[in-house]
Amino acid sequence: MDDPGQEAAGNREAPERYFEDGLLVIEDGHVIQCGRARDLLGELPDNVLIYPHPDALIVPGFIDTHVHYAQVDVIASYGTQLIDWLHNHTFPVESGFGDRQSCISTAEFFIEELLRNGTTTALVFGTVHPQSVDAFFDVAGARNLRMVCGKVMMDRNAPDDLLDTAQSGYEQSRELIKRWHGKGRLGYAVTPRFAATSTGEQLALAGQLLKENQSVHLHTHLSENRAECKWVGDLFPDRADYLDVYEHYGLLGKRSVFAHGIYLSDREWNRLAESESRLSFCPTSNLFIGSGLFRLESADQYGVPVGLGTDVGGGDSFSILRTINEAYKVQQLQQVNLSPLRSLYLATLGGARVLNLEQQIGNFEKGKEADFIVLDYRATPLLERRLASCRSLADKLFAIQMLGDDRAVRETWIMGVQQSSRH
Ligand code: GUN
Ligand code: ZN
């Protein structure tokens, strides 16, 4: 997919580029050229290695704009909606992340699972324990992945062993930023869990961290569930609405990513747009924990940039293809068509823009980091059969998005090096 230039902050479909028999030329982990094989093959030096990928579509690596690595073992937990789900399933599992070895083994599994599913970059929640973030970055850094992560800040309304204090949360985050932000391909996100588990004092210090470190990200949850919205209203009675809580403490802006945003007022949509804040649309989670239907059309009307998130373990799949499938259905229920090219954009360059990483990743423009995946036209008998009757690229793409999952990701390459393969 090509960069649509002036639509920098928008969600509109990008003009795509597609080569039926294409060549992606990579040197030192970066894209040198992308075009028709017959135009480019003759220009290559003799010693270049060529990897053929028959019956496949090469696209930029997927970008997951909201996921919790510590919730691998929460995935597919039965029977609850957000607040009970947090207390019954999530907090007990996150309590185990004080132990470095658990953190490392979960981070290794999580990253392997991302790569198997074709996700090459993610914006990731750690837990309240700073060592959870050290472990995640150790594992991601060893594999040279472009990843953004942060320690959860949470100083009330959770079990005691999962609480920090306003001051310790600030100091631990500051140390982690120093240690990790900008190290290789790693970036830090200041991560207050959500307004209900932070005091005003803690949110104010999160805002201070953003002021003191202008290139870090802000990552939190917003307006996911009706009971949650009511609770936040009760906890912050002086604020106009949920988003106003975050705005009051200086947490809005173009480096801020808010997961969900289902129950937003016109005022909140306006303020998100004016502040250039971003949203992560997490359809598998919104359906699985029964939260509600994200209004992509409103995001477009107001001009709020959107990416896709799995929100594992609220979401029940690591696969961005499955996420697109559910995103399509969530829009169908609202009489909105989510086109296959738009979905691919949201999963790649759109996600890169949400993370302000569009200079580095998201498409195959010359100079970008060569993170890409090979989608398999023969992944399953059904997919192969369905593709045989597809006429256009859009039809093919849609079939892969609706019928595909991890089985459709044949290979995952990071900066020109293959790191995962189904063979
Ligand atoms: N809101 C606060 N914490 C969480 C979480 O861990 N997952 C989801 N989906 N929503 C939250
Ligand atoms: Zn979440």
Side-chain angles (χ1 to χ4, degrees):
M1 308 270 290
D2 246 2
D3 190 327
Q6 69 277 18
E7 283 179 29
N11 289 320
R12 304 255 304 283
E13 216 165 271
E16 77 282 359
R17 285 205 300 163
Y18 167 65
F19 306 102
E20 176 79 33
D21 183 14
L23 194 70
L24 182 62
V25 186
I26 294 164
E27 190 176 347
D28 295 333
H30 291 82
V31 175
I32 301 289
Q33 260 179 324
C34 179
R36 289 194 305 187
R38 69 163 182 257
D39 296 339
L40 300 179
L41 275 172
E43 297 174 8
L44 298 178
D46 290 342
N47 59 351
V48 165
L49 287 174
I50 295 181
Y51 300 91
H53 298 283
D55 300 317
L57 180 68
I58 297 180
V59 297
F62 293 142
I63 297 173
D64 185 341
T65 59
H66 178 68
V67 61
H68 302 249
Y69 100 81
Q71 293 180 13
V72 166
D73 297 313
V74 182
I75 198 166
S77 293
Y78 175 75
T80 48
Q81 300 215 345
L82 180 64
I83 309 295
D84 289 339
W85 177 85
L86 282 172
H87 284 278
N88 299 348
H89 300 297
T90 308
F91 290 154
V93 166
E94 290 191 13
S95 289
F97 283 72
D99 170 54
R100 175 162 168 95
Q101 213 33 55
S102 307
C103 296
I104 292 277
S105 65
T106 305
E108 282 171 345
F109 180 90
F110 173 87
I111 280 176
E112 200 60 52
E113 197 63 17
L114 288 186
L115 295 176
R116 262 178 18 79
N117 280 280
T119 298
T120 50
T121 288
L123 174 59
V124 182
F125 258 68
T127 67
V128 74
H129 316 89
Q131 56 269 43
S132 74
V133 175
D134 284 325
F136 180 81
F137 280 142
D138 275 334
V139 174
R143 300 190 75 160
N144 196 26
L145 303 180
R146 188 164 278 290
M147 289 283 166
V148 183
C149 185
K151 177 204 113 71
V152 170
M153 301 170 80
M154 177 157 67
D155 68 346
R156 63 168 164 171
N157 294 325
D160 284 349
D161 64 333
L162 280 180
L163 294 181
D164 55 12
T165 65
Q167 193 59 29
S168 71
Y170 168 80
E171 285 168 10
Q172 290 168 348
S173 303
R174 192 181 55 189
E175 289 309 306
L176 288 165
I177 291 168
K178 254 195 238 152
R179 190 144 65 242
W180 294 107
H181 185 62
K183 185 172 179 192
R185 304 182 79 203
L186 306 174
Y188 194 84
V190 173
T191 309
R193 180 171 214 117
F194 66 147
T197 48
S198 286
T199 59
E201 190 188 356
Q202 178 160 74
L203 294 176
L205 286 173
Q208 192 173 321
L209 285 166
L210 296 183
K211 274 208 198 98
E212 291 166 353
N213 303 275
Q214 305 248 324
S215 62
V216 300
H217 306 257
L218 182 282
H219 185 197
T220 189
H221 298 90
L222 168 71
S223 285
E224 174 178 5
N225 162 291
R226 283 206 167 88
E228 170 213 14
C229 294
K230 159 108 184 38
W231 190 22
V232 170
D234 293 344
L235 290 169
F236 293 93
D238 295 339
R239 303 276 62 89
D241 46 44
Y242 198 153
L243 188 72
D244 190 44
V245 175
Y246 293 140
E247 176 152 27
H248 181 74
Y249 295 106
L251 303 184
L252 273 53
K254 64 180 301 189
R255 304 195 70 81
S256 300
V257 180
F258 297 98
H260 309 300
I262 293 172
Y263 300 104
L264 298 172
S265 64
D266 291 343
R267 198 205 77 85
E268 288 172 299
W269 278 113
N270 263 317
R271 288 303 303 140
L272 283 169
E274 285 162 7
S275 63
E276 298 184 72
S277 301
R278 279 80 161 114
L279 287 176
S280 177
F281 171 21
C282 306
T284 56
S285 168
N286 299 159
L287 295 173
F288 185 78
I289 49 179
S291 301
L293 304 180
F294 178 74
R295 285 151 47 201
L296 187 58
E297 210 172 39
S298 297
D300 291 347
Q301 274 161 13
Y302 286 91
V304 177
V306 173
L308 294 175
T310 62
D311 194 25
V312 163
D316 60 348
S317 173
F318 276 82
S319 169
I320 289 290
L321 293 173
R322 300 293 309 149
T323 306
I324 290 172
N325 171 304
E326 302 290 8
Y328 177 78
K329 296 173 192 166
V330 164
Q331 297 314 307
Q332 281 286 82
L333 283 170
Q334 303 172 83
Q335 286 71 53
V336 173
N337 286 139
L338 177 55
S339 81
L341 288 170
R342 171 86 191 277
S343 289
L344 180 60
Y345 170 77
L346 291 176
T348 55
L349 189 58
R353 288 202 168 119
V354 161
L355 302 182
N356 292 271
L357 290 173
E358 71 272 20
Q359 303 301 322
Q360 287 83 19
I361 53 174
N363 65 6
F364 295 145
E365 226 171 63
K366 187 172 159 56
K368 292 230 181 158
E369 297 164 355
D371 290 351
F372 64 91
I373 61 179
V374 181
L375 296 175
D376 188 349
Y377 287 159
R378 307 176 128 212
T380 66
L382 178 61
L383 181 63
E384 188 175 1
R385 182 182 171 108
R386 180 65 184 87
L387 287 174
S389 62
C390 290
R391 296 278 155 263
S392 65
L393 169 69
D395 287 348
K396 276 190 190 168
L397 207 46
F398 189 64
I400 294 171
Q401 291 168 350
M402 294 305 111
L403 301 174
D405 50 31
D406 55 332
R407 293 167 297 175
V409 180
R410 192 190 288 166
E411 293 171 16
T412 301
W413 293 64
I414 301 296
M415 291 201 82
V417 176
Q418 189 189 298
Q419 288 214 16
S420 178
S421 165
R422 286 188 64 77
H423 301 304

Short mmCIF file of all heavy atoms in Angstrom, two decimals, residues 68 71 82 85-86 193-194 221 224 260 285 289 311, ligand 1:
data_model
loop_
_atom_site.label_atom_id
_atom_site.label_comp_id
_atom_site.label_asym_id
_atom_site.label_seq_id
_atom_site.Cartn_x
_atom_site.Cartn_y
_atom_site.Cartn_z
N HIS A 68 -2.27 -6.91 25.54
CA HIS A 68 -1.69 -7.09 26.88
C HIS A 68 -0.86 -8.38 26.87
O HIS A 68 -1.45 -9.47 26.79
CB HIS A 68 -2.78 -7.23 27.93
CG HIS A 68 -3.74 -6.08 28.01
ND1 HIS A 68 -3.77 -5.22 29.09
CD2 HIS A 68 -4.72 -5.64 27.17
CE1 HIS A 68 -4.73 -4.31 28.91
NE2 HIS A 68 -5.32 -4.55 27.75
N GLN A 71 -1.61 -11.12 29.52
CA GLN A 71 -2.94 -11.75 29.53
C GLN A 71 -3.06 -12.96 28.61
O GLN A 71 -4.16 -13.41 28.31
CB GLN A 71 -4.01 -10.70 29.19
CG GLN A 71 -4.14 -9.64 30.28
CD GLN A 71 -5.20 -8.58 29.97
OE1 GLN A 71 -6.00 -8.74 29.07
NE2 GLN A 71 -5.16 -7.48 30.71
N LEU A 82 -16.62 -6.54 31.46
CA LEU A 82 -15.34 -5.92 31.82
C LEU A 82 -14.95 -5.93 33.31
O LEU A 82 -13.90 -6.47 33.65
CB LEU A 82 -15.29 -4.48 31.28
CG LEU A 82 -13.98 -3.75 31.61
CD1 LEU A 82 -12.79 -4.43 30.93
CD2 LEU A 82 -14.06 -2.29 31.17
N TRP A 85 -14.67 -9.32 34.76
CA TRP A 85 -13.59 -10.00 34.02
C TRP A 85 -12.23 -9.58 34.58
O TRP A 85 -11.35 -10.40 34.79
CB TRP A 85 -13.74 -9.66 32.53
CG TRP A 85 -12.68 -10.20 31.63
CD1 TRP A 85 -12.64 -11.43 31.05
CD2 TRP A 85 -11.52 -9.49 31.17
NE1 TRP A 85 -11.51 -11.54 30.28
CE2 TRP A 85 -10.82 -10.36 30.33
CE3 TRP A 85 -11.00 -8.22 31.41
CZ2 TRP A 85 -9.62 -10.00 29.71
CZ3 TRP A 85 -9.82 -7.85 30.79
CH2 TRP A 85 -9.15 -8.74 29.96
N LEU A 86 -12.09 -8.29 34.85
CA LEU A 86 -10.82 -7.80 35.42
C LEU A 86 -10.58 -8.44 36.78
O LEU A 86 -9.49 -8.96 37.05
CB LEU A 86 -10.85 -6.27 35.59
CG LEU A 86 -10.64 -5.43 34.33
CD1 LEU A 86 -10.89 -3.96 34.63
CD2 LEU A 86 -9.23 -5.63 33.79
N ARG A 193 -3.58 2.38 33.63
CA ARG A 193 -4.48 1.31 33.13
C ARG A 193 -5.77 1.89 32.55
O ARG A 193 -6.11 1.65 31.42
CB ARG A 193 -4.80 0.34 34.26
CG ARG A 193 -5.69 -0.75 33.77
CD ARG A 193 -5.90 -1.88 34.75
NE ARG A 193 -6.03 -3.09 33.96
CZ ARG A 193 -5.22 -4.13 33.99
NH1 ARG A 193 -4.23 -4.16 34.85
NH2 ARG A 193 -5.39 -5.14 33.18
N PHE A 194 -6.50 2.64 33.36
CA PHE A 194 -7.66 3.44 32.94
C PHE A 194 -8.03 4.34 34.10
O PHE A 194 -7.49 4.19 35.20
CB PHE A 194 -8.81 2.61 32.41
CG PHE A 194 -9.56 1.69 33.35
CD1 PHE A 194 -10.93 1.46 33.16
CD2 PHE A 194 -8.95 1.03 34.40
CE1 PHE A 194 -11.66 0.61 33.98
CE2 PHE A 194 -9.66 0.16 35.23
CZ PHE A 194 -11.01 -0.05 35.02
N HIS A 221 -7.02 2.88 28.34
CA HIS A 221 -8.36 2.49 27.88
C HIS A 221 -9.31 3.67 28.03
O HIS A 221 -9.15 4.49 28.93
CB HIS A 221 -8.89 1.32 28.72
CG HIS A 221 -8.08 0.07 28.63
ND1 HIS A 221 -7.04 -0.20 29.48
CD2 HIS A 221 -8.16 -0.99 27.79
CE1 HIS A 221 -6.52 -1.38 29.19
NE2 HIS A 221 -7.17 -1.89 28.15
N GLU A 224 -15.09 1.90 27.27
CA GLU A 224 -15.18 0.56 26.68
C GLU A 224 -16.53 -0.08 27.00
O GLU A 224 -17.07 -0.83 26.17
CB GLU A 224 -14.03 -0.28 27.25
CG GLU A 224 -14.02 -1.74 26.86
CD GLU A 224 -12.83 -2.48 27.44
OE1 GLU A 224 -12.06 -1.85 28.21
OE2 GLU A 224 -12.65 -3.66 27.12
N HIS A 260 -10.50 1.32 22.51
CA HIS A 260 -11.97 1.15 22.52
C HIS A 260 -12.74 2.39 22.09
O HIS A 260 -13.13 2.51 20.94
CB HIS A 260 -12.45 0.56 23.84
CG HIS A 260 -11.71 -0.68 24.23
ND1 HIS A 260 -11.70 -1.80 23.43
CD2 HIS A 260 -10.89 -0.95 25.28
CE1 HIS A 260 -10.93 -2.73 23.99
NE2 HIS A 260 -10.42 -2.23 25.11
N SER A 285 -12.35 -8.21 21.09
CA SER A 285 -12.55 -7.96 22.51
C SER A 285 -13.93 -7.37 22.77
O SER A 285 -14.63 -7.79 23.69
CB SER A 285 -11.46 -7.00 23.01
OG SER A 285 -11.77 -6.52 24.29
N ILE A 289 -16.05 -9.71 25.28
CA ILE A 289 -16.49 -9.33 26.64
C ILE A 289 -17.73 -8.44 26.60
O ILE A 289 -18.09 -7.81 27.60
CB ILE A 289 -15.35 -8.78 27.54
CG1 ILE A 289 -14.53 -7.70 26.87
CG2 ILE A 289 -14.43 -9.87 28.01
CD1 ILE A 289 -13.42 -7.15 27.79
N ASP A 311 -6.38 -6.69 21.64
CA ASP A 311 -6.71 -6.61 23.07
C ASP A 311 -6.69 -7.98 23.74
O ASP A 311 -7.46 -8.24 24.67
CB ASP A 311 -8.06 -5.91 23.28
CG ASP A 311 -8.28 -5.52 24.74
OD1 ASP A 311 -7.28 -5.34 25.47
OD2 ASP A 311 -9.46 -5.40 25.16
N1 GUN B 1 -9.83 -1.69 31.13
C1 GUN B 1 -8.97 -1.64 32.16
N2 GUN B 1 -8.11 -2.69 32.12
C2 GUN B 1 -8.44 -3.41 31.05
C3 GUN B 1 -7.90 -4.60 30.48
O1 GUN B 1 -6.95 -5.21 30.97
N3 GUN B 1 -8.51 -5.04 29.35
C4 GUN B 1 -9.56 -4.39 28.78
N4 GUN B 1 -10.09 -4.86 27.66
N5 GUN B 1 -10.07 -3.28 29.30
C5 GUN B 1 -9.52 -2.80 30.43
#
